[in-house]
Amino acid sequence: MSDATKDEGRPGDGTRAVRAGLPEPVKHEPTLPGPVFAAHFHLPGEVTGPYAYGRDDNPTWTLLERAIGELEAPGREDVETLVFASGMAAISAVLFSQLRAGDAVVLPSDGYQVLPLVRAQLEAYGIEVRTAPTGGDAQLEALDGARLLWIESPSNPGLDVCDIRRLVAAAHAGGTLVAVDNTLATPLGQRPLELGADFSVASGTKQLTGHGDVLLGYVAGRDAEAMAAVRRWRKIAGAIAGPMEAWLAHRSIATLQLRVDRQNATALRVAEALRQRPEVSGLRYPGLPDDPSHKTASQQMSRYGCVVSFTLPTRERAERFLEALRLVEDATSFGGVRSTAERRRRWGGDAVPEGFIRMSVGAEDPGDLIADLMRALDETAD
């Protein structure tokens, strides 16, 4: 695993997270200004300057976008970041701003469970959609002539990993743009733009903000023309972040490295404990040395994420297990400081077994959390 905190000439991850996006200090002013609630701004004469109307830009967005950009692409001045109302708003902005009728796009067949809805909408617009699984770099076989490749690595919820550098090189050789969903890894776990991708896209709802109280998304990109199209889509669709949400997100980034390191370390211990249980099958966590994705993940990730997936023998056993947990909430989403878990098949969109559980490891004491999991497994044994 590479050490992102020791990149030559760069501050460590904790330093960057704590200071990301802060304005220059001004005497008697707050270090992080409060949210700017404004639908319009004073604008006499000709339209000049950054702030005219609240759907186009907001000073609170500017600071957050700067912060995320500093995490996604440290030291890069040519990267632009745009925040959105949700992760799906960010995903939609890239897809619908870059694709036209007659284009082809390659999506993961094992990605986020809303992607089938996205596929239907793309096809309704006359866009060809090809799919392939994340594992084994299978998307390579579907690239020929595609306008855009969409990568989700690690995949959600199966936690497969692909070789992003390899896929980017093949895509760019054929003139294909590449977007990477970086939600599960966070920019402290993986930096897609440094791996060659054109876009890094994520839901800030998850571990980036980490408290389960903000819906947010973002797109970071290297190409000015492509990002101008993304910005135009945001203006047209109006899928903008509220200033309060943007401010909460920026405030939360200060603790990102603390949360990520704690949650990732505990996730590994949880995976190691679950591996000892005979009723658990299909255990996946990229940080486990024997995980099928570990070798590839270790070459491109500095942290392996807070999500562990595994399968219990039946739907009934999984539901009893979830009900028996005391420190783990039965809820969707992931990345929060409070551990959650859910039986993913209840949503109907994931091709996983009925007893498949996606667990998001929080910031509880590892011993307490593992004890709760083991107790719940013991009490619900058949």
Side-chain angles (χ1 to χ4, degrees):
M1 180 170 67
S2 63
D3 188 346
T5 67
K6 295 183 180 179
D7 291 339
E8 188 68 29
R10 291 178 180 165
D13 284 347
T15 302
R16 286 191 296 114
V18 167
R19 305 205 61 82
L22 296 182
E24 290 297 320
V26 176
K27 189 175 182 178
H28 305 310
E29 293 295 320
T31 54
L32 176 62
V36 175
F37 299 102
H40 59 267
F41 301 82
H42 288 296
L43 195 65
E46 296 299 319
V47 178
T48 59
Y51 307 114
Y53 186 60
R55 191 179 69 250
D56 298 329
D57 253 317
N58 178 289
T60 310
W61 302 353
T62 299
L63 296 179
L64 174 60
E65 289 168 346
R66 187 187 306 164
I68 295 171
E70 290 171 6
L71 298 180
E72 283 280 355
R76 293 282 297 268
E77 299 295 331
D78 59 340
V79 170
E80 181 178 4
T81 303
L82 298 170
V83 295
F84 289 82
S86 68
M88 279 310 304
I91 289 171
S92 299
V94 173
L95 291 172
F96 292 109
S97 71
Q98 303 302 312
L99 297 170
R100 305 288 184 272
D103 286 343
V105 60
V106 181
L107 301 180
S109 59
D110 55 345
Y112 181 45
Q113 54 104 2
V114 179
L115 288 181
L117 297 178
V118 173
R119 175 178 185 165
Q121 192 63 56
L122 290 167
E123 290 175 338
Y125 289 158
I127 297 163
E128 178 190 354
V129 179
R130 308 169 188 166
T131 62
T134 300
D137 300 342
Q139 289 177 301
L140 285 171
E141 301 301 318
L143 277 180
D144 188 34
R147 165 68 177 163
L148 177 67
L149 166 63
W150 191 273
I151 293 172
E152 190 176 295
S153 180
S155 61
N156 174 25
L159 302 182
D160 268 325
V161 170
C162 62
D163 185 336
I164 295 176
R165 291 186 186 89
R166 182 187 182 199
L167 267 68
V168 166
H172 285 174
T176 301
L177 294 169
V178 180
V180 177
D181 187 328
N182 204 37
T183 302
L184 201 147
T186 83
L188 296 194
Q190 180 172 269
R191 294 198 284 261
L193 299 180
E194 293 189 353
L195 298 173
D198 301 286
F199 304 99
S200 181
V201 187
S203 168
T205 308
K206 311 298 193 298
Q207 198 169 21
L208 185 82
T209 55
H211 292 78
D213 54 7
V214 172
L215 286 174
L216 196 87
Y218 69 84
V219 179
R222 300 182 299 143
D223 183 85
E225 183 177 351
M227 287 302 294
V230 175
R231 179 183 287 273
R232 185 166 58 249
W233 179 265
R234 183 177 71 175
K235 179 182 178 73
I236 294 168
I240 60 172
M244 189 66 191
E245 285 79 5
W247 183 85
L248 285 169
H250 197 170
R251 176 215 59 177
S252 298
I253 285 174
T255 62
L256 179 60
Q257 185 256 350
L258 301 174
R259 292 184 282 107
V260 164
D261 281 353
R262 171 62 171 249
Q263 291 171 257
N264 285 209
T266 304
L268 178 60
R269 290 184 57 180
V270 165
E272 290 170 341
L274 289 170
R275 186 167 53 182
Q276 309 304 317
R277 300 293 303 212
E279 67 268 60
V280 169
S281 64
L283 176 69
R284 296 299 304 272
Y285 181 67
L288 285 171
D290 58 350
D291 186 272
S293 292
H294 180 74
K295 181 179 179 180
T296 301
S298 66
Q299 293 169 349
Q300 63 193 25
M301 299 181 73
S302 53
R303 296 169 174 87
Y304 298 113
C306 64
V307 176
V308 177
S309 67
F310 58 98
T311 301
L312 293 178
T314 64
R315 168 179 175 169
E316 292 73 22
R317 176 70 190 281
E319 289 175 343
R320 294 199 311 270
F321 167 71
L322 292 170
E323 187 175 356
L325 292 168
R326 296 169 185 163
L327 296 180
V328 183
E329 300 168 359
D330 192 341
T332 194
S333 197
F334 57 85
V337 292
R338 290 175 291 279
S339 293
T340 61
E342 68 172 337
R343 193 181 66 83
R344 282 299 288 179
R345 273 295 291 274
R346 67 180 178 175
W347 295 99
D350 294 310
V352 294
E354 288 286 356
F356 180 96
I357 290 172
R358 183 186 71 182
M359 179 179 178
S360 172
V361 176
E364 297 90 354
D365 286 333
D368 293 338
L369 190 58
I370 292 170
D372 190 41
L373 292 167
M374 298 302 106
R375 178 197 52 76
L377 287 171
D378 289 340
E379 290 181 0
T380 59
D382 294 325

